[in-house]
Amino acid sequence: MNFWTYSPEDIQVLIGGFYRVEGLSEGSFVQITKDVMPYTSTRSADGMVGRKYTNNSTYSVQISVLSTSPANDLFTKLWLLDELTQMAKVPLLIKDSLGSGYFFSASTWFEQIPSLTFSTGIDTRVWGLRSNQGIIHIGGNDPISNIQNFANLALSGLPLVQSVLNAGGI
């Protein structure tokens, strides 16, 4: 009989390659959605099916933090820097330390800021980010070895390597 463990405290959100986001809100605090599915299909009158491939590796990411979280200060500064320079794209890594699920993008920017609210309680601030060339692995929490974890990471990175090679004309 297998025994699986999930702990919200073991979800790591690293932005900029160094800053670990703390003060994540209760409930769903990270949501990652692929913007465009790779295939769309069309059915012909005689029952044949054709499919079209779209090479799009952008993802929408929502990170929910408490209004008291120091992450709000960093997120605001990164958003303002991008507003001024259009150059504040940062790496983003979201990883379940007890499982095999993760998301990585070397190019993420803040696209939507939360409303500034004040109330009698501690509110949640939902930040909207967009990631380009994202790599996602929707895993579980079955204990796996470090070798399996590395293999999963390496295999998920193949589309990114291919796009870099294609961009370089190789």
Side-chain angles (χ1 to χ4, degrees):
M1 178 164 100
N2 288 336
F3 184 75
W4 304 300
T5 301
Y6 169 75
S7 169
E9 292 86 15
D10 288 307
I11 303 300
Q12 296 180 26
V13 179
L14 294 173
I15 192 153
F18 67 92
Y19 183 83
R20 182 172 182 186
V21 176
E22 295 179 334
L24 297 165
S25 64
E26 284 289 316
S28 294
F29 49 84
V30 172
Q31 181 178 347
I32 304 163
T33 307
K34 186 159 179 49
D35 289 339
V36 178
M37 289 297 136
Y39 293 100
T40 55
S41 60
T42 302
R43 186 180 179 96
S44 67
D46 60 354
M48 301 297 291
V49 175
R51 70 179 189 165
K52 178 185 88 166
Y53 174 74
T54 303
N55 185 11
N56 185 318
S57 58
T58 59
Y59 289 81
S60 297
V61 179
Q62 288 187 327
I63 300 176
S64 300
V65 295
L66 297 176
S67 58
T68 55
S69 172
N72 288 302
D73 291 311
L74 175 68
F75 291 177
T76 299
K77 287 178 177 108
L78 288 171
W79 173 72
L80 287 171
L81 180 62
D82 203 29
E83 282 277 302
L84 293 171
T85 67
Q86 291 80 48
M87 297 177 63
K89 295 182 287 290
V90 295
L92 174 66
L93 173 65
I94 300 168
K95 170 79 173 94
D96 180 356
S97 295
L98 293 179
S100 59
Y102 63 87
F103 174 79
F104 175 74
S105 171
S107 181
T108 298
W109 60 96
F110 286 86
E111 200 163 77
Q112 184 176 2
I113 64 170
S115 299
L116 180 60
T117 57
F118 299 101
S119 69
T120 58
I122 297 175
D123 294 325
T124 296
R125 309 256 194 255
V126 181
W127 292 85
L129 294 81
R130 181 85 58 201
S131 292
N132 189 31
Q133 295 183 325
I135 300 168
I136 193 167
H137 180 82
I138 302 170
N141 284 72
D142 194 22
I144 61 173
S145 71
N146 287 338
I147 293 172
Q148 288 173 306
N149 202 11
F150 177 76
N152 286 341
L153 184 62
L155 290 174
S156 294
L158 288 178
L160 178 62
V161 171
Q162 182 63 45
S163 69
V164 169
L165 292 175
N166 289 343
I170 298 174

